[in-house]
Amino acid sequence: AHPLLPATPANQARFQLNPISEAERLKRIQAGVDRIAQFQKSNGAFGLWDKHSPEDQWLTVYATDFLLDAQALGLDVPASLLDQALTRLGYYLSSSGAFVGQRWSDDASHYAFASRAYAGYVLSRVKKAPLGALRTLYQRDFAHAKSGLSQVHLGLALLAMGDQKSGAEALAKAVQNIPAKDFYLGDYGSRIRDLGQMVALLLRHGQMQDQALDLSLKLRDALRGRQWFSTQERTALFFSGIALEQGLSQEWRAQWQLGSNPPQAAVEKSTWRKALDAADLSAGFTLTSDHPQALYADVLLNGYGEKPPQPQELGLSVARNWYSTSGKPVTPSKVKVGELLLVHLSLSAKQQVPDALLINLLPAGFELENQNLEHAIKLDRFLIDGKPLSQLQSQTQMKHQEYRDDRYVAAVEVSPWNSAHVFFLVRAVSPGVYQVPPPLAEDMYRPEIRGIGQTLPQVDVVEP
C-alpha cells in the first residue's frame, strides 16, 4: 500500500505507470489501512504476519509512518489505532534500547538505534518527540548506526523539534555513512533501500540537496548488477525517483534516432522515456546528447524466457518431492481428476536466512487442500517412511504459511545447521496438459539470495 501514497494521477502519467483511477487508488490505500489495523497487538505494536506474531519494533514504526501519511490523505485511520501506535513509539524512544532483541541482526546495537531514531522521526511529525530523548540518543548512541538512514531520521527529528545545531550535525554525518556492502541488520534495509530513502527524505524536507544528488549517483551505482529487489527497495526507488524528478528544472537536449528514420529532437526539463518493442530493437537506435553537461542514460530490457527457468542455487537450495496419500514417492506425469497428492518442499541455506520465503506455484488444473478450512483433509493423518509429518517438520522454524488460489507460500527461518521441511496437499481438478512451475525460495529482504528447484516438464490430468 505504501507506494500508492505518491502514485497520484500526475505521477502515474509522469512515470508511464499502468493507470488506476483516483477512487481506486484511495480504495486500495484504505484497504491497506484496514489490514494493518488487524496486525496491531494489544500494546500498540505490530507483528509482521498478524497480531499474534512477535512484536517487531522497526516495522511498528514503519507502519505508523504509513498510517500518518494515509491520515494526511484524508483516509479513515481510527484514532485509537494511531494513538496506540504513537504511544508505543514513545516508549521506544524513551527506553534504554533494552526492548530490542527478538529480530536476528548482524548488529543488535544498530537495530536498537535504527528503531528508536525512526520512532523519533515519526513522533516529530506530530510534534510528540521529546527533545531531551532525541538529544540523548544523538549524544550517546549515534555511532551505533551502521547505515546513514537511521541517522537521517534522527537528524530530521532534531530539526523538527527545534535543535538546529544537532540536527544539522547529524545530517552531515549521516550522508557520509554509506556501508561498502550489505549487512543483515534486521531493519529490512540494504544499501539500495537506505540510499533511496535518504535521497527521498532529504529532498522532501529541503535539506542538503547537493548531498542528496550525490547520494543518488551512489544509488545508481548500487543498482548496477542487481536483478531482483525487495519490496522495501522498490518502494525506496519509487520515492527517490519522484523526489529527484520534482527537483529537475534545467532544460536539456538530445537527438533520438530509431533505425534509418530521421533524427528527432528530445527537449525536456525532466526525464525522457521511449518504449520499444522487438521490431524497434531489431532496427537499432541512438541517443546523441546536445547538452553541455552530463546526461545519464539507461536501457532496461524486459522479456519472458522461451524456456522454463533452470535450477539455481544462490545461497539457497530448494527441492520438491511428490508422494501418494499412502506415503509412496511418485512422479506425477499423469494424474486423475480428484486425485490427492502430498508435496514436500525442503529448503537449505549456506548462511543464516531469518526471512526465507518458499513459493510453490500450482500447475493450472490443481488446487490446494487448504488446511485452515474446517472440512479439509488434515496432514496429521499421513505418514512417510512410517513417520508422521509433524515429526518430519518438527525442527522447521515456520513463521507463516498461506494457501492461495494459485500457490502455496511459507515464511521460514533457515541456516546451515537447520534446514526447513514443509508439506501440503494438492488435488487435481481439471483435465488437461499443464506446465509445472519449479519451486522458488528467496530471502525476502536480500532477494539476490535465492534458489530455484528442479521440476517436471509437464503433468497430464485425465478423467478417472
Side-chain angles (χ1 to χ4, degrees):
H2 208 173
L4 287 169
L5 290 169
T8 60
N11 281 333
Q12 292 178 44
R14 182 178 293 122
F15 291 96
Q16 300 178 16
L17 304 176
N18 292 329
I20 59 173
S21 68
E22 181 66 357
E24 177 64 21
R25 181 176 79 100
L26 297 177
K27 177 182 176 183
R28 293 185 188 185
I29 299 173
Q30 185 65 59
V33 172
D34 296 343
R35 186 158 187 239
I36 288 171
Q38 299 173 18
F39 290 12
Q40 189 171 44
K41 304 174 74 66
S42 59
N43 65 1
F46 294 91
L48 174 59
W49 297 106
D50 55 38
K51 65 180 180 181
H52 303 296
S53 297
E55 177 175 357
D56 191 313
Q57 292 88 10
W58 195 94
L59 191 71
T60 292
V61 188
Y62 183 66
T64 311
D65 199 9
F66 165 77
L67 292 173
L68 283 176
D69 286 339
Q71 183 189 56
L73 205 57
L75 296 173
D76 179 20
V77 180
S80 59
L81 171 70
L82 197 50
D83 289 345
Q84 283 186 285
L86 290 169
T87 298
R88 193 61 178 168
L89 266 55
Y91 168 71
Y92 293 171
L93 181 58
S94 61
S95 74
S96 64
F99 68 90
V100 172
Q102 106 281 357
R103 281 197 61 77
W104 186 88
S105 171
D106 277 343
D107 193 306
S109 295
H110 165 88
Y111 180 72
F113 176 81
S115 300
R116 298 176 67 207
Y118 193 9
Y121 168 73
V122 173
L123 288 167
S124 75
R125 293 184 57 189
V126 290
K127 304 300 181 184
K128 291 185 177 181
L131 187 53
L134 295 175
R135 285 172 170 164
T136 299
L137 190 60
Y138 174 58
Q139 294 164 2
R140 189 186 63 195
D141 298 331
F142 194 76
H144 290 165
K146 300 303 181 198
S147 172
L149 174 59
S150 55
Q151 294 173 325
V152 166
H153 281 141
L154 183 56
L156 293 174
L158 286 163
L159 290 175
M161 299 310 296
D163 190 339
Q164 303 301 310
K165 181 177 181 294
S166 297
E169 289 176 352
L171 293 182
K173 296 174 185 176
V175 296
Q176 302 299 321
N177 188 10
I178 310 300
K181 63 178 183 177
D182 281 335
F183 300 93
Y184 196 89
L185 297 172
D187 60 358
Y188 304 96
S190 66
R191 292 184 74 239
I192 290 174
R193 194 285 301 269
D194 289 7
L195 282 166
Q197 289 288 16
M198 288 167 72
V199 169
L201 285 167
L202 290 173
L203 293 179
R204 182 188 309 161
H205 291 277
Q207 300 292 329
M208 307 190 72
Q209 297 188 16
D210 290 343
Q211 290 84 349
L213 294 177
D214 290 340
L215 292 176
S216 74
L217 300 182
K218 290 183 172 64
L219 176 59
R220 175 203 61 186
D221 294 340
L223 289 171
R224 289 181 174 164
R226 281 287 299 275
Q227 187 172 353
W228 302 283
F229 301 95
S230 71
T231 51
Q232 281 278 323
E233 289 172 334
R234 290 171 184 268
T235 300
L237 289 171
F238 188 40
F239 282 22
S240 59
I242 290 173
L244 287 163
E245 178 126 24
Q246 289 174 340
L248 295 176
S249 58
Q250 183 181 4
E251 187 177 90
W252 58 268
R253 295 173 177 270
Q255 293 290 323
W256 164 260
Q257 185 172 16
L258 180 63
S260 58
N261 295 331
Q264 297 176 336
V267 181
E268 289 286 347
K269 286 188 177 180
S270 62
T271 55
W272 176 86
R273 297 171 185 79
K274 180 70 71 171
L276 306 175
D277 60 20
D280 293 335
L281 291 175
S282 299
F285 58 88
T286 59
L287 183 71
T288 307
S289 174
D290 291 333
H291 191 58
Q293 297 177 354
L295 287 182
Y296 296 95
D298 275 301
V299 178
L300 178 65
L301 185 65
N302 267 328
Y304 293 98
E306 293 183 342
K307 298 179 180 179
Q310 296 299 304
Q312 190 177 57
E313 293 184 15
L314 297 176
L316 287 173
S317 176
V318 58
R320 179 172 59 200
N321 293 293
W322 306 76
Y323 296 89
S324 67
T325 52
S326 60
K328 304 294 184 184
V330 296
T331 301
S333 55
K334 181 175 287 189
V335 181
K336 296 177 181 178
V337 170
E339 189 172 346
L340 204 60
L341 295 172
L342 180 64
V343 182
H344 170 210
L345 296 180
S346 58
L347 178 65
S348 58
K350 293 183 178 180
Q351 59 185 295
Q352 181 93 6
V353 181
D355 296 297
L357 195 69
L358 264 174
I359 305 167
N360 187 97
L361 290 164
L362 297 178
F366 284 77
E367 64 181 23
L368 287 167
E369 187 76 8
N370 189 336
Q371 296 299 294
N372 295 322
L373 300 180
E374 182 180 355
H375 301 294
I377 298 174
K378 300 303 180 184
L379 292 172
D380 300 343
R381 58 183 281 187
F382 298 101
L383 302 174
I384 295 179
D385 294 333
K387 298 178 181 178
L389 301 189
S390 58
Q391 179 180 341
L392 296 174
Q393 57 185 359
S394 60
Q395 300 301 312
T396 297
Q397 298 188 49
M398 178 79 72
K399 296 185 174 183
H400 181 74
Q401 59 182 338
E402 290 184 17
Y403 301 88
R404 298 188 178 182
D405 291 340
D406 65 343
R407 72 194 68 188
Y408 170 82
V409 179
V412 296
E413 180 174 342
V414 288
S415 64
W417 53 89
N418 188 28
S419 57
H421 299 271
V422 301
F423 298 86
F424 56 91
L425 292 164
V426 297
R427 188 186 299 275
V429 293
S430 302
V433 180
Y434 305 109
Q435 298 272 319
V436 185
L440 168 70
E442 69 171 32
D443 186 314
M444 285 190 283
Y445 307 107
R446 295 173 295 177
E448 68 276 9
I449 300 174
R450 60 199 297 111
I452 300 175
Q454 299 274 0
T455 191
L456 306 170
Q458 63 184 38
V459 59
D460 187 5
V461 178
V462 299
E463 294 287 0

